[in-house]
Amino acid sequence: MLSNYREKIRQILLYTAGSLAAVIMAFAITAIFLLLVGRDPVAVYGGIYQGAFGDSFSLSETLVAATPIMLCALGVAIAQWLGMMNVGAEGQLYLGAIGATFVALNCSTWASWQLLPLMFIAAAICGAAWSFIPAVLRVTIGVSEVIVTLLMNYIALLLVEFLIHGSWEDPNNVSWPQTAAFSAAAELPHFFGTRVHLGIVFGIVIAVVFAILLPTTKIGFISRVIGSNRDAAQYAHYKVKRYQLWAMIISGAVAALAGFSQVSAIEGRLRSGLSPGYGYTGFLACWLARHNPIAIIIVSVLIGGLLSGADSLQLSAKLPFATVNILQGMIFFCLLASEQFIGRLARRNQSSK
């Protein structure tokens, strides 16, 4: 019993060290790139830090960027806990935005206490329905949910374009295609006069709930068994396919809340370019956090800081926003490399016993 506990602690420390090493390596490689284009990496990274955490305004903007990342990352994690790979958080975000927008446009005369819960529910249902499709294909005929969720992201983007160029287009708008502005009742509450909104509370509450449920409940135990060893779960007569189906449905519903929070609290309408890739960034945050719900909160804030700092970087260092995208890409590549290295090390240790 004690040896198993020690082995678990060792694995946690090993994977945590792997994530940290991946981040450090990514910053180092990006620093070389910056040197090659004639920029001082220390000054650039310092500018990102100041833009992300330098003052109260910067911190609030970091939390704004972290909110959809957190919700998308939690959605990805829920599927991953049961051995499913949800790469469709971006599309589920847009479906959540569509569901919330439908309610906001058609119930604009309702009071806030009626409208916001209905927008919340509509967004979650749309995201759940969108993730239900790849889930059913996976558990019934074995189609890869990775491919299906990835391709459905592009369908979701085109669906938004179809709506905002069609029946939902604001007739009074003559420039950027978008819907009419939501009523004041459709706006999520903000905190302390900043753009930080109730959506971040959704993410924190969901993360804490799952952090409690996973290690302490029967369904949490079953989820861990299915995620770690599908064959053992089937041998124990667990309904693996049913659990995985529900995991994907809940995963899509949670990711869709990111879309609801964006259209309600930030944009006040549905438009193209609603997300600069929050779903994909959430996937990165989930893997950096090793699918741990509490760690996802921390990692999401840090990545949100990168995005927030990138905006000020364009002004202070005259560098494009793509600089941070390069850094994120390097983090992901280095993380994959660390996964491979740790996996080989674990297999070598297992074979030597």
Side-chain angles (χ1 to χ4, degrees), residues 71-72 74-80 82 84-86 88-89 92-93 95-96 120-139 145 149 206 210 240-257:
L71 289 166
C72 289
L74 288 168
V76 173
I78 291 167
Q80 185 62 37
L82 284 99
M84 301 287 279
M85 187 78 76
N86 180 9
Q92 291 145 21
L93 179 153
L95 261 292
F120 181 101
I121 294 169
I125 290 174
C126 287
W130 200 247
S131 61
F132 176 76
I133 298 170
V136 167
L137 292 175
R138 163 65 187 275
V139 301
E145 76 279 10
T149 53
I206 292 170
F210 279 107
V240 174
K241 291 183 178 180
R242 180 181 299 178
Y243 277 104
Q244 290 184 328
L245 181 66
W246 276 106
M248 282 293 288
I249 290 172
I250 297 171
S251 171
V254 171
L257 296 181

Side-chain angles (χ1 to χ4, degrees), residues 52-69:
F53 306 105
D55 52 39
S56 58
F57 174 78
S58 300
L59 179 59
S60 69
E61 289 301 301
T62 292
L63 296 178
V64 169
T67 299
I69 296 172

Side-chain angles (χ1 to χ4, degrees), residues 39 43-44 312-319:
R39 300 304 178 105
V44 171
S312 64
L313 198 64
Q314 296 179 81
L315 299 175
S316 61
K318 306 300 181 184
L319 283 171

Side-chain angles (χ1 to χ4, degrees), residues 105-127:
L105 294 179
N106 290 279
C107 305
S108 57
T109 59
W110 289 21
S112 182
W113 67 270
Q114 298 170 308
L115 188 55
L116 288 176
L118 189 57
M119 290 172 66
F120 181 101
I121 294 169
I125 290 174
C126 287

